[in-house]
Structures are given as C-alpha cells and as structure tokens.
Amino acid sequence: MSSPTSAGKILPGDPPGGRRAVAVWSIGVAVYFVAVIFRTSLGVAGLDAVDRFHVNASALSTFSILQLLVYAGMQIPVGLLVDRLGTKKVLGIGVVLFTVGQLGFAFSPSYGMALASRALLGCGDAMTFISVLRLGNRWFPARRGPMVAQLAGLVGMAGNLVSTLVLARLLHGIGWTAAFAGSALAGVVVFVLLLLFLKDHPEGHEPEPAPHQGAAYVRRQIALSWREPGTRLGLWVHFTTQFPAMVFLLLWGMPFLVEAQGLSRGTAGGLLTLVVLSNMAVGLVYGQIIARHHAARLPLALGTVGATAVLWAATLAYPADRAPMWLLVVLCAVLGACGPASMIGFDFARPANPPERQGTASGITNMGGFVASMTTLFAVGVLLDATGDDYTVAFSSVFVLQAVGVSQILRLRRRAALRGRERLGASRGETVHVPV
C-alpha cells in the first residue's frame, strides 16, 4: 500500500493492472524464481561440498557468506541502476551473471574457483528482487502493492522448494556436475523469455526521464532515501525478520537436523520443505491482512520475531539430547513466517519515497536481512569450529541479532509514523514539522 489514500481505488496516474500486467510481471518473477533456485542450491549440497572440496564448517560457511556479502553490497548500486536503466536491462544482466555463476560452480575443480562462482552468482542474484518489485510498482495499482510483493516472495520460495525437492534428488542421482550444470539451463530459458516479452512499463505510464548528474545524483538518491525514517525502519524490519529462516535454508538447516538431531537426510529434507510450504501459505495471509489493515504491519513483524525466538529457544534448550519431532515441525512451520514478515519492510519504505527513488529505497531495505544472514552464517560456522560442533551455542547467535534489530525497530517506529502523518498533512495543505 503506497499511501493512506490508496486503499480500494486506482489513484490518478496508477497503472491499470489487468492480464497483460500479470503476464509481464510473471516473466520478471520467473527470473527471480530461477535466481532463488541457484541461491539456495548450496543449502541441499552443503554436506556434499564438504566432501568435494575437503573443507571444515568455517570454510563451508564462507560460500554463503561471500555470496550474501556480494548480494548485500550490490543492493544500493542495483537500486540506483534500476532507477536509472529500468527493469529489463538490469534483469538481463542479472540472468547472465547468475547463470554463468551456476555453471562455474558445477565445473569448479577447487575451493577457490567455487568461491568465485558463488560470488558471481550472488552478484546476478542481487539484481533480481529489486527489479521485480519495481516491475510490480510499474504495472499494478498502488493498492495492490503489498499483495504483489508478497506473491513475488512466495514465488521465490517456490524456487527454494525446487532446490529442496528436485535439485537434492538430482544431486544424489546424477552427481554434482550434471545436477548444477543441468539446472543452469533454466537461466537460459528465462533469459530468452525476458528478451522477447518483458517491458518496463505499460504504454502511457513512462517515468519522467532522469537527468544524468553523475556522482551527485547517486549521493542525492541515497541521502534522500536514507533520510526517510520509513526507509530505515524498513531496513531494520527486514534485518530482524528474514535471517533465521535464510540461515536455516541456505546452509545450516540440513547439517543441524542431520548431525545434531540425528535425522536422516530424507526426513531433514522434508522439514526444510515444510519451511518453504509454510512460507508460501503465510505469505498469502500476511499480504491480505496488510492490504486490508495497514496498522497490522508492525505487530505482524514483531510477532513473527517473538515466535521465532521462542521456538528456537525451546528447541536449543530442550532437556534431552535431541528435540522431539513435534517441536522440530513447529519450529520449521514458524520459520516459514520469516520470509513474509521480511516483506513488510518494503511496505514501510515504499510509501516513504517517491517513484523515482523506489529502486534505491528498496535496495537499502533489502540489505537488512542479507547483512543479518551473512553475519549469522559466519557466527555459526566459527562457533561450531570453536565448540566442537555444539549447535546449541552456535545457533544462540540468532538471539543477539534479533535483540539488536528489535531495539532499532522500536526506536524508529514513532518517527516513521509521524513522518507518515506529515506526508498526509502535506497532501491536505497542512503543515507538520517532524524531526528526522
């Protein structure tokens, strides 16, 4: 929802939506779908990677840390590129990069080359989600914003599901090289669809051309986006909500369930699948709730953080050597809410910024969860090596980052609310001063 006045009607200048909008947007979402398959492919191959490259837990976590470091570092540049070049060009570059990265990972003979391939994949992956958000904003009415964003996240999680169910079986059926190289063909397919059918915006809704201002333009875009409390609040909501599930799915969930909980790979894979399915179901619910009740955004985000913390604490502190299956099932179901909750961050940043800064603001917001994920991936790997694979100590790092994020959310929520009222007052000709 882009403004308090947008609910229930199409505002002047809003794109009309419709079937063509769905068709074009679906191509962009297909690109994101493939990017997520490639991004999460290491999550089902972590134990195989240990054997293939002869590495320990810290070195294994470096794969995902480097990939997320590149991803997070690219968010603001990508946001600026989307604002400057448009969706199609940026998505096209992203597809080429993440497909080459996946192919390189398939044929990497050494740990160093595999690291370089994951970095290239992360660079291409970084260009997808912000572009898809921009595409939705350009093709659908503003009142559809929360649901369109949640649907994009839902499709991304479907890509995670493909990694968990399909790629994992291919990996153990046809081997490392064939599985990863074969999956790279999906990148070729979406690249062709993108070139042939994707358009940045419907006719008659072209954005105003942005004058080229070099470094001054870049600094101004970033500074104005960051000055908005809604942008900063969106970043911290994304930071606090996304990372527990991301860390679990991207790398450490399978080793935790197999090595610490004594489950078979098949059972562990089923629990990872539950996280993805829960994510998809909760995403639909959260999108509907936020579209109808704008004030529910923060309670949903903080409620998800609280539930995640409680379930992690119960699992890690369980008095027996291994947590019971029912508790692991509940934990994975709750972890599924983390992705939809992180999407709420964009719904704080979106109304706080005008259309010409949407890409930049989304890039800033999107950094949050990936910085948190990168930090936790590193912390878990280091703590596992330092404690002799004590997962209770290693996963306790989750609580530290949650505490940091919640403190920032509580600090910024009032400023963001006041700023929203200031914008509403300005639209009615009133004058309200809000310090930022």
Side-chain angles (χ1 to χ4, degrees), residues 29-48:
V29 171
V31 173
Y32 177 56
F33 172 78
V34 174
V36 173
I37 294 175
F38 293 0
R39 179 201 302 170
T40 57
S41 57
L42 185 61
V44 297
L47 297 177
D48 300 87

PDB file of all heavy atoms in Angstrom, residues 29-48:
ATOM      1  N   VAL A  29       9.083 -12.383 -12.441  1.00  0.00           N
ATOM      2  CA  VAL A  29       9.045 -13.274 -11.290  1.00  0.00           C
ATOM      3  C   VAL A  29       9.701 -14.614 -11.630  1.00  0.00           C
ATOM      4  O   VAL A  29      10.339 -15.240 -10.774  1.00  0.00           O
ATOM      5  CB  VAL A  29       7.591 -13.477 -10.815  1.00  0.00           C
ATOM      6  CG1 VAL A  29       7.510 -14.564  -9.765  1.00  0.00           C
ATOM      7  CG2 VAL A  29       7.056 -12.173 -10.232  1.00  0.00           C
ATOM      8  N   ALA A  30       9.567 -15.074 -12.880  1.00  0.00           N
ATOM      9  CA  ALA A  30      10.230 -16.312 -13.294  1.00  0.00           C
ATOM     10  C   ALA A  30      11.748 -16.183 -13.186  1.00  0.00           C
ATOM     11  O   ALA A  30      12.442 -17.132 -12.802  1.00  0.00           O
ATOM     12  CB  ALA A  30       9.820 -16.665 -14.726  1.00  0.00           C
ATOM     13  N   VAL A  31      12.264 -14.997 -13.521  1.00  0.00           N
ATOM     14  CA  VAL A  31      13.699 -14.752 -13.369  1.00  0.00           C
ATOM     15  C   VAL A  31      14.088 -14.862 -11.896  1.00  0.00           C
ATOM     16  O   VAL A  31      15.093 -15.502 -11.542  1.00  0.00           O
ATOM     17  CB  VAL A  31      14.082 -13.370 -13.935  1.00  0.00           C
ATOM     18  CG1 VAL A  31      15.538 -13.045 -13.622  1.00  0.00           C
ATOM     19  CG2 VAL A  31      13.835 -13.324 -15.439  1.00  0.00           C
ATOM     20  N   TYR A  32      13.306 -14.252 -11.032  1.00  0.00           N
ATOM     21  CA  TYR A  32      13.583 -14.313  -9.592  1.00  0.00           C
ATOM     22  C   TYR A  32      13.478 -15.748  -9.083  1.00  0.00           C
ATOM     23  O   TYR A  32      14.286 -16.196  -8.252  1.00  0.00           O
ATOM     24  CB  TYR A  32      12.608 -13.395  -8.863  1.00  0.00           C
ATOM     25  CG  TYR A  32      12.734 -13.419  -7.363  1.00  0.00           C
ATOM     26  CD1 TYR A  32      13.947 -13.145  -6.738  1.00  0.00           C
ATOM     27  CD2 TYR A  32      11.622 -13.700  -6.555  1.00  0.00           C
ATOM     28  CE1 TYR A  32      14.063 -13.167  -5.355  1.00  0.00           C
ATOM     29  CE2 TYR A  32      11.733 -13.712  -5.178  1.00  0.00           C
ATOM     30  CZ  TYR A  32      12.952 -13.449  -4.581  1.00  0.00           C
ATOM     31  OH  TYR A  32      13.059 -13.464  -3.214  1.00  0.00           O
ATOM     32  N   PHE A  33      12.506 -16.494  -9.581  1.00  0.00           N
ATOM     33  CA  PHE A  33      12.320 -17.899  -9.229  1.00  0.00           C
ATOM     34  C   PHE A  33      13.595 -18.710  -9.504  1.00  0.00           C
ATOM     35  O   PHE A  33      14.082 -19.468  -8.664  1.00  0.00           O
ATOM     36  CB  PHE A  33      11.139 -18.446 -10.032  1.00  0.00           C
ATOM     37  CG  PHE A  33      10.913 -19.927  -9.938  1.00  0.00           C
ATOM     38  CD1 PHE A  33      10.307 -20.484  -8.819  1.00  0.00           C
ATOM     39  CD2 PHE A  33      11.269 -20.764 -10.979  1.00  0.00           C
ATOM     40  CE1 PHE A  33      10.078 -21.849  -8.749  1.00  0.00           C
ATOM     41  CE2 PHE A  33      11.039 -22.121 -10.921  1.00  0.00           C
ATOM     42  CZ  PHE A  33      10.454 -22.673  -9.793  1.00  0.00           C
ATOM     43  N   VAL A  34      14.159 -18.532 -10.688  1.00  0.00           N
ATOM     44  CA  VAL A  34      15.382 -19.251 -11.048  1.00  0.00           C
ATOM     45  C   VAL A  34      16.548 -18.785 -10.186  1.00  0.00           C
ATOM     46  O   VAL A  34      17.379 -19.595  -9.738  1.00  0.00           O
ATOM     47  CB  VAL A  34      15.691 -19.065 -12.544  1.00  0.00           C
ATOM     48  CG1 VAL A  34      17.037 -19.694 -12.904  1.00  0.00           C
ATOM     49  CG2 VAL A  34      14.581 -19.692 -13.399  1.00  0.00           C
ATOM     50  N   ALA A  35      16.629 -17.476  -9.934  1.00  0.00           N
ATOM     51  CA  ALA A  35      17.708 -16.949  -9.098  1.00  0.00           C
ATOM     52  C   ALA A  35      17.683 -17.584  -7.703  1.00  0.00           C
ATOM     53  O   ALA A  35      18.735 -17.902  -7.137  1.00  0.00           O
ATOM     54  CB  ALA A  35      17.605 -15.429  -8.992  1.00  0.00           C
ATOM     55  N   VAL A  36      16.486 -17.769  -7.145  1.00  0.00           N
ATOM     56  CA  VAL A  36      16.375 -18.367  -5.814  1.00  0.00           C
ATOM     57  C   VAL A  36      16.775 -19.841  -5.849  1.00  0.00           C
ATOM     58  O   VAL A  36      17.403 -20.341  -4.905  1.00  0.00           O
ATOM     59  CB  VAL A  36      14.955 -18.192  -5.249  1.00  0.00           C
ATOM     60  CG1 VAL A  36      14.789 -18.957  -3.935  1.00  0.00           C
ATOM     61  CG2 VAL A  36      14.656 -16.719  -5.026  1.00  0.00           C
ATOM     62  N   ILE A  37      16.443 -20.549  -6.922  1.00  0.00           N
ATOM     63  CA  ILE A  37      16.898 -21.939  -7.053  1.00  0.00           C
ATOM     64  C   ILE A  37      18.415 -21.996  -6.967  1.00  0.00           C
ATOM     65  O   ILE A  37      18.998 -22.803  -6.234  1.00  0.00           O
ATOM     66  CB  ILE A  37      16.419 -22.558  -8.380  1.00  0.00           C
ATOM     67  CG1 ILE A  37      14.900 -22.683  -8.399  1.00  0.00           C
ATOM     68  CG2 ILE A  37      17.053 -23.938  -8.583  1.00  0.00           C
ATOM     69  CD1 ILE A  37      14.351 -23.187  -9.732  1.00  0.00           C
ATOM     70  N   PHE A  38      19.066 -21.113  -7.722  1.00  0.00           N
ATOM     71  CA  PHE A  38      20.524 -21.106  -7.729  1.00  0.00           C
ATOM     72  C   PHE A  38      21.079 -20.659  -6.374  1.00  0.00           C
ATOM     73  O   PHE A  38      22.065 -21.203  -5.886  1.00  0.00           O
ATOM     74  CB  PHE A  38      21.041 -20.179  -8.829  1.00  0.00           C
ATOM     75  CG  PHE A  38      20.755 -20.650 -10.237  1.00  0.00           C
ATOM     76  CD1 PHE A  38      20.084 -21.837 -10.482  1.00  0.00           C
ATOM     77  CD2 PHE A  38      21.146 -19.895 -11.326  1.00  0.00           C
ATOM     78  CE1 PHE A  38      19.807 -22.270 -11.764  1.00  0.00           C
ATOM     79  CE2 PHE A  38      20.890 -20.314 -12.624  1.00  0.00           C
ATOM     80  CZ  PHE A  38      20.213 -21.505 -12.845  1.00  0.00           C
ATOM     81  N   ARG A  39      20.450 -19.636  -5.785  1.00  0.00           N
ATOM     82  CA  ARG A  39      20.919 -19.113  -4.490  1.00  0.00           C
ATOM     83  C   ARG A  39      20.891 -20.174  -3.415  1.00  0.00           C
ATOM     84  O   ARG A  39      21.819 -20.297  -2.605  1.00  0.00           O
ATOM     85  CB  ARG A  39      20.052 -17.938  -4.059  1.00  0.00           C
ATOM     86  CG  ARG A  39      20.438 -17.351  -2.710  1.00  0.00           C
ATOM     87  CD  ARG A  39      19.288 -16.571  -2.094  1.00  0.00           C
ATOM     88  NE  ARG A  39      18.817 -15.485  -2.939  1.00  0.00           N
ATOM     89  CZ  ARG A  39      17.710 -14.794  -2.714  1.00  0.00           C
ATOM     90  NH1 ARG A  39      16.942 -15.092  -1.668  1.00  0.00           N
ATOM     91  NH2 ARG A  39      17.340 -13.820  -3.525  1.00  0.00           N
ATOM     92  N   THR A  40      19.811 -20.955  -3.358  1.00  0.00           N
ATOM     93  CA  THR A  40      19.610 -21.909  -2.267  1.00  0.00           C
ATOM     94  C   THR A  40      20.126 -23.306  -2.592  1.00  0.00           C
ATOM     95  O   THR A  40      19.999 -24.207  -1.762  1.00  0.00           O
ATOM     96  CB  THR A  40      18.109 -22.000  -1.923  1.00  0.00           C
ATOM     97  OG1 THR A  40      17.368 -22.376  -3.093  1.00  0.00           O
ATOM     98  CG2 THR A  40      17.594 -20.654  -1.433  1.00  0.00           C
ATOM     99  N   SER A  41      20.712 -23.487  -3.767  1.00  0.00           N
ATOM    100  CA  SER A  41      21.178 -24.816  -4.160  1.00  0.00           C
ATOM    101  C   SER A  41      22.252 -25.351  -3.217  1.00  0.00           C
ATOM    102  O   SER A  41      22.365 -26.560  -3.005  1.00  0.00           O
ATOM    103  CB  SER A  41      21.697 -24.797  -5.595  1.00  0.00           C
ATOM    104  OG  SER A  41      22.734 -23.836  -5.757  1.00  0.00           O
ATOM    105  N   LEU A  42      23.044 -24.460  -2.624  1.00  0.00           N
ATOM    106  CA  LEU A  42      24.074 -24.917  -1.694  1.00  0.00           C
ATOM    107  C   LEU A  42      23.468 -25.471  -0.413  1.00  0.00           C
ATOM    108  O   LEU A  42      24.084 -26.291   0.275  1.00  0.00           O
ATOM    109  CB  LEU A  42      25.039 -23.769  -1.375  1.00  0.00           C
ATOM    110  CG  LEU A  42      26.254 -24.122  -0.512  1.00  0.00           C
ATOM    111  CD1 LEU A  42      27.121 -25.175  -1.202  1.00  0.00           C
ATOM    112  CD2 LEU A  42      27.072 -22.881  -0.203  1.00  0.00           C
ATOM    113  N   GLY A  43      22.241 -25.029  -0.076  1.00  0.00           N
ATOM    114  CA  GLY A  43      21.615 -25.489   1.152  1.00  0.00           C
ATOM    115  C   GLY A  43      21.388 -26.991   1.179  1.00  0.00           C
ATOM    116  O   GLY A  43      21.437 -27.610   2.243  1.00  0.00           O
ATOM    117  N   VAL A  44      21.141 -27.602   0.020  1.00  0.00           N
ATOM    118  CA  VAL A  44      20.946 -29.049  -0.043  1.00  0.00           C
ATOM    119  C   VAL A  44      22.233 -29.768  -0.416  1.00  0.00           C
ATOM    120  O   VAL A  44      22.275 -30.990  -0.466  1.00  0.00           O
ATOM    121  CB  VAL A  44      19.835 -29.423  -1.057  1.00  0.00           C
ATOM    122  CG1 VAL A  44      18.504 -28.842  -0.617  1.00  0.00           C
ATOM    123  CG2 VAL A  44      20.177 -28.930  -2.468  1.00  0.00           C
ATOM    124  N   ALA A  45      23.296 -29.002  -0.715  1.00  0.00           N
ATOM    125  CA  ALA A  45      24.563 -29.601  -1.138  1.00  0.00           C
ATOM    126  C   ALA A  45      25.689 -29.337  -0.154  1.00  0.00           C
ATOM    127  O   ALA A  45      26.850 -29.607  -0.455  1.00  0.00           O
ATOM    128  CB  ALA A  45      24.955 -29.050  -2.518  1.00  0.00           C
ATOM    129  N   GLY A  46      25.352 -28.797   1.031  1.00  0.00           N
ATOM    130  CA  GLY A  46      26.388 -28.429   1.982  1.00  0.00           C
ATOM    131  C   GLY A  46      27.269 -29.592   2.386  1.00  0.00           C
ATOM    132  O   GLY A  46      28.507 -29.493   2.376  1.00  0.00           O
ATOM    133  N   LEU A  47      26.661 -30.718   2.755  1.00  0.00           N
ATOM    134  CA  LEU A  47      27.449 -31.875   3.175  1.00  0.00           C
ATOM    135  C   LEU A  47      28.255 -32.433   2.010  1.00  0.00           C
ATOM    136  O   LEU A  47      29.390 -32.902   2.196  1.00  0.00           O
ATOM    137  CB  LEU A  47      26.517 -32.953   3.749  1.00  0.00           C
ATOM    138  CG  LEU A  47      25.753 -32.536   5.022  1.00  0.00           C
ATOM    139  CD1 LEU A  47      24.797 -33.650   5.452  1.00  0.00           C
ATOM    140  CD2 LEU A  47      26.718 -32.191   6.151  1.00  0.00           C
ATOM    141  N   ASP A  48      27.713 -32.392   0.796  1.00  0.00           N
ATOM    142  CA  ASP A  48      28.450 -32.843  -0.381  1.00  0.00           C
ATOM    143  C   ASP A  48      29.635 -31.918  -0.664  1.00  0.00           C
ATOM    144  O   ASP A  48      30.700 -32.365  -1.100  1.00  0.00           O
ATOM    145  CB  ASP A  48      27.528 -32.876  -1.598  1.00  0.00           C
ATOM    146  CG  ASP A  48      26.348 -33.813  -1.404  1.00  0.00           C
ATOM    147  OD1 ASP A  48      25.327 -33.369  -0.864  1.00  0.00           O
ATOM    148  OD2 ASP A  48      26.463 -34.986  -1.782  1.00  0.00           O
TER     149      ASP A  48
END
